[in-house]
Amino acid sequence: MHISEDTPFVIGGSDGCLANLGVGAISPGVASVTIGTSGAIRVASSQANQEKKQRLFTYLLRPNEYIIGGAVNNGGVLRNWFRDNFLDEFAQMETDGDSSASLNALIESVVPGAEGLIFLPYLTGERAPHWNSNAKGVYFGIQLHHGRAHFARAMMEGMLFAIYSVGIALEENTGPIHTIFASGGLARSSMLVQMLADIFNKPVFTKNTVESSAWGAALIGLEALGIQREEPTVKNKQAGGAQDTEHYYKPSAENHAVYIKNFQKFEHLYHILEGEF
């Protein structure tokens, strides 16, 4: 195949950097949370991360523009594991169609906090903030009144607690986060996004598309080709991001109070068990 000599080649970026760009999370205090098979939370900064604890990574998006954050191993992979091993009828529904609504209904049948049941979600080890490949999954606090709906809800809450742990490290290094944009496959679940807002106690927005990395790549390409002439091209495009927002999720202070109690136990449990993994 012949390629013309004047064909432009554009160096893009990593999916995490482009996700921030795609949703418009390129200003201080604005975070991008992506949850697919795994998960991540990132913010933009004018300086590279210099944290001595080495909990976070830094990617270069553009000159003097960095994306700082951390990725967790266990995102949507947890949902699939739970469905396939403990919800046989939902696994069949997945074959026949979409089981998400039924699984969400099961989770929503239990109050926030799963009545004290806590899940450490490290089924495939963990990256940020612990960087521990030996970490394991744990259910803690099981009592007779806990049924499979409690286990399902605790599983989802544990997934988000892991991301919240990274968010705390981010705020310690880059300043307070006041707004979150959610993307990735699981951002299609309004229940999950509301849980995210409640756990972080911050407003969360989703765009019309959850494929933020692909949109960020398109924006980088347009900028590199000079198709948009205003400077800075991509930031101007995103200045009107609120018009592109499909949903807004307001955090519940009441739910956050419940979640934060479980999260404190969640963190304490990890440190107690770290040497046993």
Side-chain angles (χ1 to χ4, degrees):
M1 183 177 70
H2 176 72
I3 299 177
S4 174
E5 291 182 0
D6 60 357
T7 300
F9 284 80
V10 178
I11 298 176
S14 69
D15 57 349
C17 283
L18 297 177
N20 275 63
L21 193 59
V23 298
I26 53 176
S27 301
V30 181
S32 168
V33 170
T34 307
I35 306 177
T37 302
S38 57
I41 178 170
R42 303 164 298 267
V43 298
S45 175
S46 60
Q47 296 180 335
N49 174 50
Q50 299 180 359
E51 184 196 35
K52 293 182 179 179
K53 295 181 180 180
Q54 298 183 335
R55 292 175 293 178
L56 307 171
F57 58 60
T58 301
Y59 289 133
L60 179 66
L61 176 60
R62 290 179 294 205
N64 301 314
E65 195 169 0
Y66 301 91
I67 301 298
I68 301 175
V72 300
N73 276 357
N74 303 281
V77 66
L78 295 174
R79 174 188 176 278
N80 295 342
W81 162 79
F82 192 89
R83 178 203 63 204
D84 294 344
N85 288 281
F86 305 108
L87 303 171
D88 290 342
E89 70 276 29
F90 287 1
Q92 181 59 46
M93 290 171 64
E94 189 88 348
T95 302
D96 299 337
D98 182 10
S99 66
S100 298
S102 297
L103 179 56
N104 288 351
L106 180 70
I107 293 170
E108 288 183 308
S109 70
V110 174
V111 297
E115 295 189 87
L117 187 62
I118 297 171
F119 179 59
L120 302 189
Y122 310 125
L123 300 192
T124 62
E126 187 55 296
R127 284 181 282 175
H130 304 301
W131 302 101
N132 184 356
S133 62
N134 294 320
K136 304 293 190 298
V138 175
Y139 274 106
F140 174 82
I142 304 170
Q143 296 182 282
L144 287 175
H145 65 272
H146 290 133
R148 66 177 183 174
H150 293 85
F151 282 83
R153 183 168 192 110
M155 176 268 298
M156 283 291 203
E157 292 177 358
M159 175 202 307
L160 295 178
F161 284 161
I163 294 176
Y164 187 58
S165 294
V166 184
I168 290 174
L170 267 179
E171 290 195 308
E172 289 176 0
N173 285 273
T174 63
I177 293 170
H178 57 73
T179 303
I180 296 173
F181 281 91
S183 62
L186 291 190
R188 295 187 178 96
S189 168
S190 59
M191 178 206 65
L192 183 77
V193 180
Q194 185 62 58
M195 289 171 65
L196 177 69
D198 293 347
I199 288 172
F200 275 80
N201 199 29
K202 303 180 191 299
V204 177
F205 295 86
T206 58
K207 296 282 190 174
N208 292 326
T209 174
V210 298
E211 302 301 337
S212 55
S213 295
W215 181 235
L219 291 175
I220 281 285
L222 289 172
E223 180 178 350
L225 296 176
I227 293 177
Q228 298 176 352
R229 297 184 179 180
E230 297 181 20
E231 294 294 339
T233 305
V234 177
K235 290 183 180 178
N236 279 341
K237 170 68 179 177
Q238 293 168 345
Q243 298 176 1
D244 300 328
T245 301
E246 184 176 351
H247 292 295
Y248 161 69
Y249 297 83
K250 181 179 179 180
S252 164
E254 180 180 357
N255 289 348
H256 176 71
V258 174
Y259 285 135
I260 207 66
K261 288 182 180 180
N262 274 14
F263 175 75
Q264 290 169 349
K265 294 179 181 178
F266 172 92
E267 288 278 87
H268 187 54
L269 283 168
Y270 173 79
H271 292 297
I272 289 176
L273 295 173
E274 186 175 13
E276 303 299 325
F277 289 140

